Structures are given as C-alpha cells and as structure tokens.
Amino acid sequence: MTDTPTLAEVVDLGRGQIDVDAVLRQLVDRADTAAPTSIGFPGAVDLDHTEVMARLGRRLWNNIGDPATDPGGAAHTKALERAVIAWVAETLAMPADDRWGYVTTGGTEGNLAALHAAHRRHPRAVAYHSTAAHYSIPKILDILGVRRIPVHAHPDGELDYDHLAAQIRRRPTRAAIVVATAGTTMTEAVDDTDRIHAILAPHAPGGHLHVDAALSGVPLALDGRLRLDHTSGIDSIAISGHKFFGTPTPCGVVLIRAGIRTPGGHVTYTDTVDTTITGSRCGLAAALLWHAIATHGREGHRWRVSEARHLAGYAVDQLTAAGWPAWRHPHAFTVVLDTPPEQVRKKWLLATDGPMSHVICMPGVTKGQIDALVADIRAAAHPTPAASLPRPRLPVTPQAVR
C-alpha cells in the first residue's frame, strides 16, 4: 500500500497527467481540517458568500480604472463598488462632497494609495509611524522614497504622543505625514487621532493624517468612535474587507479626501480614468463586499461586533480562570496572552511574537473553540497567575479615535 502523495508532489506541472480533482480536494480538505484551530489571524467565518461565488464566479469581472467611470462592455461591478464606497464612507460620517475611494486588494494597497496621495501633496514631507504599525507601512514609505521616523509605542500597542510631538518639533520646516493605526497587529490598540490632529494642527508646513484601520475600522465606525467628518483631521483611511466581512478573497476599501486624491489621466482604449494603483481590479471583490453589506445592514453588523466582543471577554475570563495571563482592549476582538507551550502552538494557529501571542475572536469563532484552546493550555502546562504581559494603561477605557 503506497502513501498518499503530498500536495507538493501532486501539483508539479512537469509531471505529465495531473489529477486536478485530487489536487483541489486536498487543498479543501487541508483547509477544512485546520479551520477549527485557526483562530490567531483575523478573518470572519460567519458570513455565507456561496450565492455570489456561484452566480459570479464563472466569468471575469474587471473594474478597470476609476470607480466613477464605467469601461466598455458589461462585465464589471462598478455600480456595486460605488455603493460599497458610499456605505463605508457614510458609516464613517465622511462628507459626501469631500470623499473619493475604491475597492482595493486589501489594506496594504489602501495604505499605498493613501500614502501615495499624501506624498504627492507634500513631496518633501517626513513620515511618522508607530513601531506597532503594520509591516506594510515602512515598506510602502520606502517604495515611495519618503523619509520615515519610527515613533515609540506603549507596551499595550498605542502610540506615544509625546514622542510623536517631539519628533515633529525636531523638523519644523518639513511637512508631516502621520500614520495612525486603528487596530494594531498584536494587541488591536487604537491610536487617538484627536491627539494626533492637535499635534499636527499648529505645524506650519502642514501635514497629512492617514489611518490604517484594516481590522477595526468598520467595527469602530459602527460604534460611532471612528469618524471622518470635517472636524476629525483625518485625510485618508484604509480598511480591509476580508477581515470583518470575511470575503473569500483578499480585498479592502480606501477613502481619501476628494481634494487630495491622486489625479489620473484618461486612458483612451479602456475609456476610463486611471486613478487607482492596480488599474485592472477585481470586480468579484466589490460584489462580495456589497453582498455582505446588503444582506446584513448596519444593525446586523453591529450585532456581529457585539457578539465577537462578548466572546473575546469570555476568552479572557476563561484563560485567567485557568491561571494563564490574558487581557484585551475593551473594544477589541483580539485577546493577548502569554505564549502557550510549543505543543499547543503546533495544534493551534496563533499569532506569536516572542513571549506574546494572541487569538482573535472574529465573528464565527465559537465558545467551543475557546474552551478547547483553554483545555489544551491547561493540559500542556501548569499555569499560575502572572503579570508577564504588557497590559493596557489605567484607566482602561475604549480607545476613542475621536
């Protein structure tokens, strides 16, 4: 009896005849097997996108060019894309006369589009970003050739505003591009953009305030705690689509003030305006986002936020009762815990950074999964109460974005 071939063996396109069905089946089986213990990275699993995939998944939907200009032919979903942009912008209280955006491939492209616009606006600017910022931020600034200054973050992940102010004061003749984060990678901390705006406001050369809100943007907007109204001082924001909305393809939304967006030229042969980073864009992603919003609405998504936060609170309680240090920000789906023993991490997909790990109680994660994780930690170690983790500074309040 022969062993079942590995995936690496059966996908080799140089092997001759390939059992395509077996390859696809192995991919799905592998993902299905891992799903119950994959709770360390953000991706909601409670929304059913089957209808969209069944109806639209058999053809190319190309939303090439600016969302406002429809290309030739009918195989695009720009009407849905415009509706998604409007819904997200309205949820963020962004004025209708001062907004522009599009559906992206994810948070990184959204950050790139926004920071590209900021760089064109202030070509000599210096960029400031937290040491807790997503890894895409320094990468993007390096690609754009923007000088960047890392700013300290507190142990709980929030930006050190005194250090930011001091760094900006050191460069009084250079405009400042500041990247805030609404939901840092490891702790889901939220930077206070009111405080950042107050630092930027008197800076004579001006500046640009961008918010990387990949994970927490929509939940905080539904709370009313993240707003892009005229008083917010926020110039752009990037949000992920496949995290909170759980779409089966990476995607996102970027919103930029209309007056500072990157201008684009008309492309004759596509009859569109080239204002986006990628040109050709996935129309299926826009349809998936539209479907998720249309079938649940704001109240349905508020309920999803509430349930996920309740589960995160339950996870902290259960871990703490087991003697394993854990905490969370009050608004967060993310539960930070001491890194579990190796045998636990081999079974459970947890995000780990040295002594710190986290689980993310995204919509669709269950109490049963949390209970099973806690039971495995109990079995693998002899936890005792400890204070080894960085914890939120007191008093603990929801980190308001404004």
Side-chain angles (χ1 to χ4, degrees), residues 182-194:
T184 57
T185 303
M186 285 305 297
T187 69
E188 205 176 328
V190 175
D191 297 333
D192 187 336
T193 54
D194 273 352

Side-chain angles (χ1 to χ4, degrees), residues 47-49 51-52 288-297 300-301:
L47 300 185
D48 186 356
H49 300 281
E51 181 180 4
V52 179
L288 289 163
L289 287 172
W290 177 87
H291 181 261
I293 293 168
T295 53
H296 292 272
H301 290 302

Side-chain angles (χ1 to χ4, degrees), residues 78-91:
K78 286 202 174 178
L80 306 187
E81 181 178 18
R82 291 190 285 266
V84 168
I85 294 164
W87 187 90
V88 174
E90 288 160 11
T91 304

Side-chain angles (χ1 to χ4, degrees), residues 143-285:
I143 290 171
L144 294 174
V146 177
R147 183 184 177 191
R148 58 182 180 86
I149 305 295
V151 177
H152 297 159
H154 293 288
D156 65 1
E158 190 175 352
L159 182 73
D160 183 332
Y161 308 104
D162 292 338
H163 190 229
L164 172 67
Q167 289 297 319
I168 291 176
R169 284 196 301 269
R170 289 183 62 183
R171 300 163 183 85
T173 63
R174 303 286 291 273
I177 298 170
V178 179
V179 181
T181 306
T184 57
T185 303
M186 285 305 297
T187 69
E188 205 176 328
V190 175
D191 297 333
D192 187 336
T193 54
D194 273 352
R195 295 186 65 177
I196 297 171
H197 179 47
I199 293 168
L200 278 175
H203 188 58
H208 182 110
L209 176 52
H210 172 65
V211 181
D212 176 6
L215 173 57
S216 301
V218 171
L220 289 171
L222 290 167
D223 292 343
R225 285 188 274 179
L226 176 54
R227 296 171 63 84
L228 268 69
D229 58 23
H230 283 306
T231 67
S232 70
I234 300 171
D235 297 297
S236 57
I237 188 168
I239 291 171
S240 175
H242 55 280
K243 292 182 172 68
F244 180 68
F245 293 117
T247 59
T249 185
C251 61
V253 172
V254 63
L255 291 167
I256 304 171
R257 298 289 180 190
I260 59 177
R261 66 171 177 164
T262 301
H266 183 262
V267 179
T268 303
Y269 75 93
T270 62
D271 196 23
T272 59
V273 179
D274 181 31
T275 53
T276 66
I277 294 294
T278 57
S280 289
R281 297 179 294 107
C282 181
L284 181 58

